[in-house]
């Protein structure tokens, strides 16, 4: 059933930061699957390990962070001329040298990433064009002039006005939204199989955000690439993702398709998250009376401590005493494609 | 990456506070005044603290130079000119251990070069004593006294020259102690003058802005861009040769501070300009506070720590400036004693080769400057108490 | 770009004007006007000066005119005739004395700058990349010491050590036999054998300072997101460093042209005196000792102007390297 449709499979990934004060288990046993051409959304509060998961995938975890274990299987396609079905070749990214030749040939080429702040994603002292063509000449056998053509074409596709002129502009001459378009163009110009988007619209205003999201979906269709969309914004998830993984403290607590997530969330944390978004309909149905937003009780615990049992139990309103604070719940598949890591749903 | 960083640093903070144990401490942190925060941060800088201790010792030596130095710094032991550092012994000829003592020193001459050669006469020993009576002095011009912390009973035959004597037989260590009094205070007084100038001119520049600001900024540009030592040299050379020592000393410090105020003026101006826009200043203005009170009560405390940092930073330059000028013979001149004046003896390399111990002020100058640099670095980090 | 350069040159004019006023003040500083002083000294030494000669001088420097006229006369002489006045110690024109010596001073300053850059750039980058490593601590400590030890004290120590340990008398720019000879290949080689000592001594100070600046800027830049973006492109670590953070951290290096020059002139003066070089510093010293103020004032004027030109060049280079300066988006920072 998996077969050809799987692009990336993360198995039991653990990425730890070894600090003098203790070890932060930023990613602690994550399992995720990204399908070709599909979008996987990853949601969670800041510090839940979603960004570190993405960085682990690209092997860009900053020191003193390290991948301690697990697999990141990347199903590369080796296109053969005339063959009707492309061959796939599996490679475990977690085993590669982070700065080795092979990893670098994947980075920016087959897997690329768009970061949160378009303001600082480009260096101010080099032209937009030189920063884009750099990726193209690095991964493709083209001349500088051809690379410029590709870059201009890509800038046109992300609907940057006057793309040719923009090549010679410096980043500070573009607006925030324009810059993010340029950054997306930069990520896409090698036609990656997977685009990791780490809150690419958080720093933008709402209208620009909507434009960028539309653009990304269009380009996804056009290029047939998969997207791993990381955000804390459930509204964006609803718009972008097909499958959603909810992360809490370095672990995936619930994984399901986007409809089920909003219609029948299971994990207490997911439900709490959903209650914490303001909804227009609430205000309307309650006759203009503003309902109080619910917050999740308590704080994210100290990242150095290793909690026994379920990591969410100190904040969980439905915790089962003597179970949740002692035994770590396993992952139970409650329905096909819907799994949850919670004692409430574990089959005895 | 920035977010990863913030997670980690957030975690560090949380953990740091937990180590300090309780919420009470955290509470204390939020309630602490600016100076307390500066002090707490400074205490984390071990190197800067060590430097502060060394500097304190230097200044104590300078303050009590008369008592701490074994000899009169101007007295010439004619029989001991160019004498190398005295050896201190703990074991006499018979092999017995004794309290530290020195041997009698006898001078002979090299028959060829006629240079003096000093030999220890092991027959006669002189113990090193604490609180010995020696040359008379007036401590701070107030108390007549002849007590010295350490020394020998009869320096005319069995002297204690820890760092040797110079070419005319003056004790180098005593001269270093007295020289410190000049060399270390030149910077302090220079900084005080810079402080007043910098505060006034920087304040005017930052407060009034406009054309006055422009003129002052251009003058600062020029002064900063000029090579300092040649300028100091030119100004110092213009001092009349016949002025008394004290006046030359003060004139030199003023010359040194002529360039020193610029850095402080820039700090004051920059801070005033940025603080004018702060909400709390607006709030004070809306409360009807007078401009003078806004500056002195609201804005000044906000950057007092930066002022101190800027001043500490300009101290080493002034100490080195004095040393260089006096070394060249255009700052302070003998009989004034400063480290720079002492180094005049070291201008001729042939002479230095004969009595290398006259280079010892170099070690003191460098130590002082190094310590001020360490201290300044620690203070700079501590000055920004809210930058965690 | 052109308008930026023009604006920058216009800003230089009042700067040089202020420097010239300062130089003139220095000339006027010694009590009494210097001609009478000079005549007094001549009289003391038993020589009598021709009345006509004296009157010629009075007229030439406008000594009987009010101060601002004297200044105008002095500065127009310099600007239009390159006449910096006369030095009585050398019995030559100031220009003659300074011209050859300033050349050596400038050469030493420039080579010290090159030495500083060549050493500080790689070490600065390395130390920032390997923050908190042993190498980092080592160079930090070395930097502190390098900053604290002034060149002339270092020069004294070097002279002492080389004289007592190797029997070599360090000093001067030429060996005795070449001193008065015309230029030749052998003389040039002899110069190279001598000139590196002041270059290294002067360079050490600047190197220590520059490593610290470089390290701080690099650390700031390494935290920026574009570094991560560059890594995510698949660039090798070396290319990431050189094309991104170094591109920005290089800015303070270019600014150094502005502040290294005054630094080298400043520290260099005393080092040159200690090492007894045939450069401008010792000439200034001799002039000051004899209150030969025209030479002193000219030294301040020339070195100040050279520094102003240096900072002009560094600003232009900075504008070339950093588009933000060119487009004025860093204005007011």
């Amino acid at each position: 059933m998996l077969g050809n449709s799987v692009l990336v499979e993360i198995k039991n990934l653990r990425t730890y930061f070894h600090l003098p004060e203790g070890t932060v288990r930023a990613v602690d046993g994550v399992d995720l699957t990204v399908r070709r051409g599909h979008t996987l959304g990853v949601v969670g509060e800041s510090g839940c390990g979603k960004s570190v998961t993405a960085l682990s995938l690209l092997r860009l975890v900053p020191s003193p962070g390290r991948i301690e274990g697990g697999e990141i299987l990347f199903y590369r396609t080796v296109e053969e001329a005339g063959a009707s079905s492309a061959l796939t070749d599996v490679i475990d990214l977690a085993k590669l040298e982070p700065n080795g030749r092979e990893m670098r040939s994947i980075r920016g080429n087959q897997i690329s990433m768009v970061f949160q702040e378009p303001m600082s994603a480009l260096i101010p002292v080099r032209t937009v064009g030189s920063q884009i063509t750099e990726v193209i000449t690095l991964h493709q056998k083209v001349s500088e002039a051809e690379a410029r053509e590709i870059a201009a074409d890509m800038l046109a596709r992300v609907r940057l006005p006057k793309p040719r002129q923009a090549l010679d502009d410096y980043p500070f001459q573009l607006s925030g939204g324009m810059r993010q378009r340029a950054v997306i163009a930069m990520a896409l110009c090698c036609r990656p199989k997977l685009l990791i988007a780490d809150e690419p619209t958080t720093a933008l205003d709402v209208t620009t955000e909507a434009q960028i999201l539309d653009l990304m979906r269009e380009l996804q269709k056009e290029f047939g690439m998969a997207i791993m969309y990381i955000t804390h914004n459930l509204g964006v998830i609803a718009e972008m993702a097909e499958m959603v993984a909810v992360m809490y403290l370095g672990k995936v607590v619930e994984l399901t398709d986007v409809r089920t997530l909003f219609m029948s969330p299971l994990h207490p944390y997911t439900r709490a998250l959903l209650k914490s978004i303001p909804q227009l309909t609430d205000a309307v149905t309650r006759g203009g009376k503003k309902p109080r937003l619910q917050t999740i009780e308590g704080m994210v615990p100290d990242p150095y401590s290793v909690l026994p049992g379920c990591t969410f139990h100190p904040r969980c309103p439905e915790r089962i005493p003597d179970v949740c604070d002692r035994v770590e719940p396993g992952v139970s598949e409650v329905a096909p494609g819907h799994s949850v890591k919670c004692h409430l749903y574990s089959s005895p | 990456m920035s977010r990863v960083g913030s997670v980690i640093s957030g975690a560090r903070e949380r953990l740091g506070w937990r180590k300090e144990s309780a919420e009470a401490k955290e509470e204390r942190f939020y309630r602490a005044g600016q100076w307390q925060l500066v002090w707490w941060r400074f205490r984390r800088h071990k190197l800067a603290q060590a430097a502060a201790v060394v500097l304190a010792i230097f200044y104590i030596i300078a303050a009590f130079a008369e008592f701490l130095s074994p000899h009169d710094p101007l007295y010439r032991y004619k029989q001991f000119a160019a004498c190398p550092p005295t050896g201190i012994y703990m074991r006499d000829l018979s092999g017995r251990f004794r309290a530290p003592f020195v041997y009698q020193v006898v001078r002979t001459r090299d028959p060829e070069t006629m240079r003096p050669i000093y030999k220890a006469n092991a027959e006669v020993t002189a113990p090193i004593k604490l609180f010995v009576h020696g040359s008379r002095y007036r401590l701070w011009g107030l108390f007549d006294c002849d007590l010295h912390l350490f020394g020998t009973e009869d320096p005319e035959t069995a002297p204690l020259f820890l760092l040797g004597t110079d070419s005319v037989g003056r004790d180098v260590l005593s001269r270093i102690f007295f020289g410190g009094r000049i060399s270390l205070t030149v910077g302090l007084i220079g900084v005080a003058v810079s402080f007043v100038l910098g505060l006034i001119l920087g304040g005017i520049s930052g407060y009034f802005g406009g054309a006055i600001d422009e003129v002052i900024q251009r003058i600062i540009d020029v002064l900063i861009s000029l090579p300092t030592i040649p300028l100091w040299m030119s100004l110092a050379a213009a001092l009349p040769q016949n002025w008394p020592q004290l006046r030359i000393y003060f004139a030199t410090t003023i010359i040194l501070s002529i360039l020193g105020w610029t850095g402080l003026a820039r700090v004051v101006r920059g801070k005033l300009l940025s603080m004018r826009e702060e909400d709390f200043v607006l709030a004070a203005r809306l409360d009807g506070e007078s401009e003078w009170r806004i500056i002195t009560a609201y804005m000044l405390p906000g950057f007092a720590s930066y002022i101190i940092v800027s001043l500490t930073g300009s101290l080493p330059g002034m100490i080195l400036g004095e040393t260089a000028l006096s070394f060249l013979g255009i700052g302070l001149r003998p009989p004034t004693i400063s480290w720079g004046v002492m180094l005049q003896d070291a201008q001729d390399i042939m002479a230095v080769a004969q009595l290398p111990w006259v280079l010892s002020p170099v070690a003191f100058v460098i130590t002082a400057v190094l310590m001020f640099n360490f201290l300044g670095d620690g203070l700079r980090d501590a000055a920004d108490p809210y930058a965690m | 770009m052109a308008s930026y350069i023009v604006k920058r040159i216009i800003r230089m004019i009042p700067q040089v004007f202020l420097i010239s006023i300062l130089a003139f003040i220095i000339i006027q500083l010694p009590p009494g006007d210097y001609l009478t002083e000079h005549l007094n000294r001549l009289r003391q030494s038993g020589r009598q000066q021709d009345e006509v000669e004296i009157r010629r001088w009075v007229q030439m420097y406008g000594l009987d005119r009010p101060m601002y006229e004297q200044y105008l006369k002095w500065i127009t002489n310099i600007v239009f005739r390159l006449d910096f006045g006369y030095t009585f110690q050398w019995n030559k024109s100031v220009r003659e004395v300074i011209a050859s010596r300033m050349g050596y001073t400038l050469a030493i300053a420039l080579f010290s700058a090159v030495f500083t850059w060549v050493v500080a750039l790689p070490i600065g980058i390395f130390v920032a990349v390997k923050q908190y490593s042993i190498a980092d601590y080592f160079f930090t400590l070395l930097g502190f010491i390098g900053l604290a030890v002034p060149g002339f004290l270092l020069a004294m120590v070097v002279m002492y050590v080389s004289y007592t340990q190797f029997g070599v008398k360090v000093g001067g720019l030429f060996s005795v036999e070449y001193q008065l000879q015309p230029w030749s290949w052998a003389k040039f080689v002899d110069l190279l054998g001598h000139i590196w000592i002041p270059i290294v001594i002067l360079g050490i100070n600047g190197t220590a300072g520059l490593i610290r600046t470089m390290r701080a800027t690099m650390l700031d830049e390494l935290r920026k997101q574009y570094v991560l973006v560059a890594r995510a492109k698949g660039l090798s670590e070396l290319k990431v460093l050189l094309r991104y953070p170094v591109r920005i951290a290089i800015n303070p290096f270019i600014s150094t042209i502005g502040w290294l020059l005054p630094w080298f002139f400043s520290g260099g003066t005393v080092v040159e005196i200690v090492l007894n070089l045939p450069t401008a510093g010792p000439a200034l010293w001799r002039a000051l000792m004899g209150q030969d103020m025209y030479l002193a004032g000219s030294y301040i004027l020339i070195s100040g102007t050279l520094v102003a030109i240096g900072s002009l060049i560094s600003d232009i280079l900075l504008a070339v390297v950093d588009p933000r300066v060119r487009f004025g988006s860093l204005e007011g920072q």
Side-chain angles (χ1 to χ4, degrees):
Chain A
M1 138 105 208
L2 282 172
N4 264 353
S5 71
V6 174
L7 180 65
V8 174
E9 203 176 358
I10 298 175
K11 286 182 182 168
N12 196 23
L13 178 69
R14 283 172 293 129
T15 306
Y16 296 170
F17 286 81
H18 297 284
L19 300 171
E21 296 90 338
T23 299
V24 178
R25 294 156 186 257
V27 177
D28 199 10
V30 162
D31 298 289
L32 285 175
T33 306
V34 184
R35 284 164 196 281
R36 284 173 199 282
H38 284 240
T39 303
L40 171 73
V42 181
V43 261
E45 291 165 289
S46 46
C48 73
K50 50 194 197 304
S51 292
V52 178
T53 307
L55 292 175
S56 304
L57 219 159
L58 280 171
R59 303 301 313 274
L60 286 176
V61 180
S63 134
R66 259 185 53 197
I67 294 184
E68 293 290 320
E71 293 175 318
I72 304 169
L73 300 178
F74 179 49
Y75 293 79
R76 277 196 294 197
T77 35
V78 186
E79 313 261 347
E80 272 181 38
S84 55
S85 65
L87 292 171
T88 51
D89 146 35
V90 190
I91 180 168
D92 184 359
L93 301 183
K95 298 274 184 304
L96 293 182
E97 194 63 37
N99 276 317
R101 187 177 298 271
E102 186 153 27
M103 192 61 231
R104 281 192 278 120
S105 75
I106 294 172
R107 228 184 264 155
N109 188 16
Q110 297 177 14
I111 305 178
S112 57
M113 186 159 175
V114 176
F115 293 88
Q116 185 175 10
E117 285 156 38
M119 294 300 164
S120 58
L122 296 166
I123 193 169
V125 294
R126 291 177 54 191
T127 59
V128 174
S130 82
Q131 297 185 56
I132 298 179
T133 51
E134 180 180 65
V135 203
I136 304 170
T137 48
L138 184 70
H139 296 296
Q140 299 173 26
K141 288 195 180 72
V142 291
S143 70
E144 196 68 35
E146 286 167 312
R148 244 182 102 81
E149 280 308 305
I150 299 174
D153 175 59
M154 199 51 77
L155 285 180
R157 278 172 196 255
V158 297
R159 278 188 230 109
L160 203 72
K162 300 184 193 153
R164 249 160 233 291
Q165 195 189 316
L167 284 178
D168 294 318
D169 278 343
Y170 287 96
F172 54 84
Q173 292 171 301
L174 302 179
S175 71
M178 293 296 138
R179 255 184 255 189
Q180 194 61 301
R181 280 168 200 264
V183 170
I184 291 172
M186 188 161 81
L188 295 184
C189 53
C190 289
R191 312 261 170 151
K193 294 283 173 281
L194 171 63
L195 176 72
I196 302 172
D198 187 359
E199 311 220 12
T201 56
T202 310
L204 304 174
D205 62 70
V206 185
T207 30
T208 322
E209 177 175 49
Q211 289 169 0
I212 298 276
L213 293 179
D214 281 346
L215 178 72
M216 284 179 65
R217 269 192 314 210
E218 264 180 59
L219 293 168
Q220 179 179 26
K221 260 182 221 143
E222 203 178 326
F223 297 160
M225 67 186 172
I227 294 179
M228 181 169 163
Y229 200 101
I230 296 167
T231 182
H232 62 266
N233 186 336
L234 284 161
V236 173
I237 283 289
E239 195 163 330
M240 291 295 292
E242 280 134 8
M243 292 293 284
V244 183
V246 182
M247 282 187 73
Y248 184 78
L249 274 188
K251 292 182 163 76
V252 176
V253 292
E254 186 160 7
L255 177 69
T256 179
D257 64 280
V258 68
R259 252 190 99 72
T260 320
L261 182 87
F262 284 96
M263 292 310 181
S264 51
L266 293 182
H267 199 281
Y269 176 67
T270 315
R271 288 195 297 225
L273 262 189
L274 284 167
K275 276 183 201 150
S276 67
I277 15 175
Q279 269 166 349
L280 205 55
T281 47
D282 281 356
V284 177
T285 49
R286 295 192 190 181
K289 247 195 201 168
K290 281 185 191 158
R292 284 182 69 87
L293 278 178
Q294 290 199 14
T295 53
I296 304 176
E297 239 174 77
M299 289 284 290
V300 180
D302 174 2
Y304 298 102
S305 57
V306 181
L307 289 176
C310 172
T311 44
F312 189 59
H313 82 258
R315 300 169 76 186
C316 184
E318 299 167 64
R319 65 176 163 265
I320 312 167
D322 283 348
V323 177
C324 290
D325 52 1
R326 288 197 182 168
V327 189
E328 190 182 340
V331 178
S332 18
E333 186 150 13
V334 285
H338 188 175
S339 53
V340 60
K341 189 179 169 73
C342 179
H343 283 298
L344 294 174
Y345 308 98
S346 56
S347 37
Chain B
M1 183 157 152
S2 60
R3 249 173 318 141
V4 177
S6 75
V7 172
I8 295 168
S9 69
R12 279 186 182 191
E13 271 165 40
R14 247 171 277 153
L15 193 84
W17 288 340
R18 205 181 48 179
K19 265 187 192 157
E20 270 184 33
S21 92
E23 279 172 25
K25 287 233 168 153
E26 202 169 314
E27 178 80 18
R28 205 163 65 112
F29 178 82
Y30 287 119
R31 288 190 176 190
Q34 188 197 8
W35 294 109
Q36 257 172 313
L37 289 175
V38 169
W39 174 238
W40 286 346
R41 270 175 77 84
F42 181 71
R43 278 206 323 212
R44 286 199 255 160
H45 262 266
K46 294 284 175 277
L47 201 58
Q49 279 174 65
V53 171
V54 172
L55 286 172
I57 293 172
F58 270 35
Y59 278 100
I60 288 170
I61 289 177
F64 298 97
E66 285 93 344
F67 171 65
L68 293 172
S69 56
H71 302 274
D72 180 339
L74 294 173
Y75 184 78
R76 297 170 180 207
Y77 291 90
K78 294 196 180 65
Q79 69 278 34
F80 296 129
C83 178
T86 318
I88 296 176
Y89 303 88
M90 304 269 290
R91 221 170 149 175
D92 61 16
L93 279 180
S94 54
R96 256 182 330 128
F97 279 99
R98 293 173 35 176
F101 64 92
V102 297
Y103 289 120
Q104 193 184 52
V105 176
V106 191
R107 179 166 74 169
T108 53
R109 276 189 191 276
D110 186 312
E112 275 173 46
T113 59
M114 292 308 284
R115 281 210 187 91
I117 297 172
Y118 295 97
K119 282 210 179 103
N121 173 17
E123 304 292 314
V124 186
T125 64
I128 297 170
K129 288 187 172 169
L130 290 177
F131 302 104
V132 288
H133 294 275
S135 58
R136 301 202 65 81
Y137 57 85
R138 267 185 97 97
L139 186 62
W140 301 337
L142 293 176
F143 315 106
D144 265 318
C145 190
D146 67 349
L147 267 188
H148 295 260
L149 179 66
F150 63 97
T152 51
E153 287 282 329
D154 183 15
E156 296 291 343
T157 58
L160 175 66
F161 300 125
L162 283 179
L163 291 175
T165 63
D166 63 11
S167 54
V168 292
R170 293 173 299 198
D171 178 41
V172 171
L173 183 74
S174 302
R175 288 176 69 74
I176 285 177
F177 284 1
F178 276 87
R181 183 172 281 182
I182 300 288
S183 294
L184 292 170
T185 54
V186 158
L188 285 189
I189 295 179
V191 157
V193 177
S194 304
F195 172 72
V196 175
L197 279 175
L199 211 57
I200 292 174
L201 289 166
I204 290 173
S205 198
Y207 191 75
F208 291 104
I212 301 174
D213 180 33
E214 193 62 26
V215 169
I216 291 177
Q217 288 313 306
R218 288 292 84 76
I219 290 175
I220 291 179
D221 274 348
V222 169
L223 288 181
I224 282 182
S225 73
L226 280 174
T228 28
I229 288 180
L231 193 64
W232 281 339
M233 281 167 70
S234 307
L235 295 172
L239 298 178
Q241 313 258 356
N242 51 2
W243 274 11
Q245 286 183 44
L246 197 66
R247 206 191 288 176
I248 293 262
Y249 167 75
F250 280 115
T252 309
T253 57
I254 286 169
I255 287 172
L256 292 175
S257 50
I258 276 179
L259 298 178
W261 63 271
T262 51
L264 182 67
R266 281 260 154 102
V267 172
V268 170
R269 171 181 179 266
K271 286 282 159 194
L272 277 180
L273 283 182
S274 68
M275 278 197 177
R276 270 205 315 212
E277 315 296 325
E278 292 278 352
D279 288 342
F280 69 86
V281 171
L282 183 66
R285 201 161 280 150
L286 291 176
D287 270 357
E289 297 276 15
S290 72
E291 284 298 313
W292 175 248
R293 234 191 96 70
I294 288 175
I295 294 179
T296 52
Y298 290 81
M299 291 160 94
L300 255 182
F303 59 93
S305 52
Y306 292 92
I307 291 178
I308 292 174
V309 169
S310 168
L311 291 177
T312 330
S314 58
L315 261 166
M318 292 194 185
I319 292 176
L320 288 177
E322 184 278 324
T323 309
L325 289 183
S326 308
F327 167 72
L328 295 175
I330 40 184
L332 304 166
R333 296 177 185 90
T336 307
I337 307 166
S338 83
W339 292 343
V341 170
M342 291 180 73
L343 285 175
Q344 286 180 17
D345 291 346
Q347 275 186 8
D348 180 13
I349 197 66
M350 311 284 272
V352 173
Q354 296 305 320
L355 45 161
W357 49 88
V358 297
L359 279 178
S360 36
V362 171
F364 283 82
V365 173
I366 291 175
T367 309
V369 169
L370 201 57
M371 293 306 132
F372 270 118
N373 281 346
F374 286 147
L375 183 66
D377 233 46
L379 285 178
R380 188 171 318 125
D381 284 355
D384 213 350
Y386 301 104
M388 280 303 285
Chain C
M1 187 72 192
S3 76
Y4 173 81
I5 294 174
V6 171
K7 252 190 261 171
R8 186 59 187 72
I9 290 175
I10 290 173
R11 230 180 66 199
M12 208 181 109
I13 294 170
Q15 200 182 344
V16 174
F17 172 68
L18 279 173
I19 293 171
S20 76
I21 287 187
L22 200 68
F24 186 71
I25 290 173
I26 284 168
I27 292 174
Q28 300 298 332
L29 263 186
D33 84 73
Y34 93 105
L35 192 66
T36 30
E37 286 283 308
H38 177 64
L39 291 177
N40 280 341
R41 248 174 288 151
L42 284 180
R43 241 169 254 133
Q44 273 165 16
S45 65
R47 275 161 57 194
Q48 284 297 327
Q49 207 71 23
D50 197 344
E51 280 299 310
V52 185
E53 179 88 333
I54 293 171
R55 228 170 295 134
R56 199 173 67 82
W57 272 336
V58 168
Q59 198 153 23
M60 204 164 104
Y61 298 124
L63 294 180
D64 51 347
R65 314 295 304 166
M67 208 54 110
Y68 69 92
E69 275 186 44
Q70 283 188 42
Y71 169 76
L72 281 180
K73 202 147 187 137
W74 174 73
I75 197 77
T76 42
N77 276 342
I78 289 172
V79 173
F80 294 108
R81 307 216 313 267
L82 277 182
D83 175 7
F84 288 90
Y86 196 78
T87 146
F88 298 104
Q89 270 185 326
W90 268 274
N91 253 326
K92 281 181 186 172
S93 74
V94 169
R95 185 177 57 185
E96 256 180 280
V97 176
I98 283 208
S100 64
R101 291 168 165 264
M102 211 55 171
Y104 286 126
T105 296
L106 209 55
I108 291 173
L110 286 181
F111 282 115
S112 299
V114 171
F115 172 87
T116 303
W117 292 322
V118 169
V119 176
L121 184 71
I123 295 180
I125 295 173
F126 179 78
V127 159
V129 173
K130 304 261 175 224
Q131 195 191 4
Y132 302 135
S133 65
I134 292 171
D136 185 20
Y137 288 119
F138 174 75
F139 282 111
T140 306
L141 189 69
L142 211 65
F144 263 121
I145 295 171
L147 270 179
V149 180
F152 76 98
L153 293 184
L154 194 64
M156 284 166 69
V157 173
V158 167
M159 283 174 86
Y160 171 71
V161 170
S162 69
Y163 183 73
T164 52
Q165 302 299 310
F166 309 108
V168 182
K169 250 188 110 178
V170 174
L173 280 183
F174 302 100
S175 308
V176 188
E177 60 266 34
Y178 290 109
Q179 228 145 40
L180 295 173
Q181 279 192 14
W183 279 102
S184 64
W185 179 248
K187 184 175 178 176
F188 181 70
V189 172
D190 184 57
L191 173 68
L192 290 185
H194 284 85
I195 204 170
W196 66 272
I197 294 168
I199 288 174
V200 169
I201 287 174
L202 275 180
I204 281 177
N205 265 284
T207 308
L210 210 49
I211 289 177
R212 282 181 70 186
T213 320
M214 187 74 191
R215 177 180 181 271
T217 337
M218 276 296 285
L219 284 178
D220 270 0
E221 293 304 316
L222 279 171
R223 280 185 210 113
K224 299 266 170 78
Q225 189 165 270
Y226 61 74
V227 177
L228 191 60
V229 173
R231 287 205 182 104
K233 285 177 179 176
L235 291 168
S236 68
E237 195 57 27
L238 188 68
K239 277 186 186 162
V240 168
L241 282 180
L242 293 183
R243 291 187 189 174
Y244 290 88
V246 172
R247 267 302 299 272
I248 291 202
I250 205 96
N251 286 359
F253 261 68
I254 292 162
S255 322
T256 53
I257 302 172
W259 59 262
L260 275 182
L261 265 185
W263 200 355
F264 289 145
F265 274 124
S266 182
T269 314
V270 198
V271 171
E272 287 163 8
I273 293 167
V274 170
L275 292 176
N276 192 24
L277 307 183
T279 48
L284 172 71
W285 186 38
R286 267 183 70 184
L288 288 173
M289 297 300 267
Q291 302 225 322
D292 198 349
M293 297 315 277
Y294 271 110
L295 204 159
S298 305
Y299 181 93
I300 297 290
L301 178 65
I302 294 173
S303 61
T305 310
L306 283 175
V307 165
I309 292 171
S311 77
L312 171 75
I313 293 172
S314 87
D315 276 3
I316 291 174
L317 280 180
L318 208 56
V320 170
V321 173
D322 194 334
R324 289 173 297 176
V325 176
R326 204 154 65 229
F327 290 100
S329 73
L330 277 184
E331 205 73 5
Q333 275 190 22

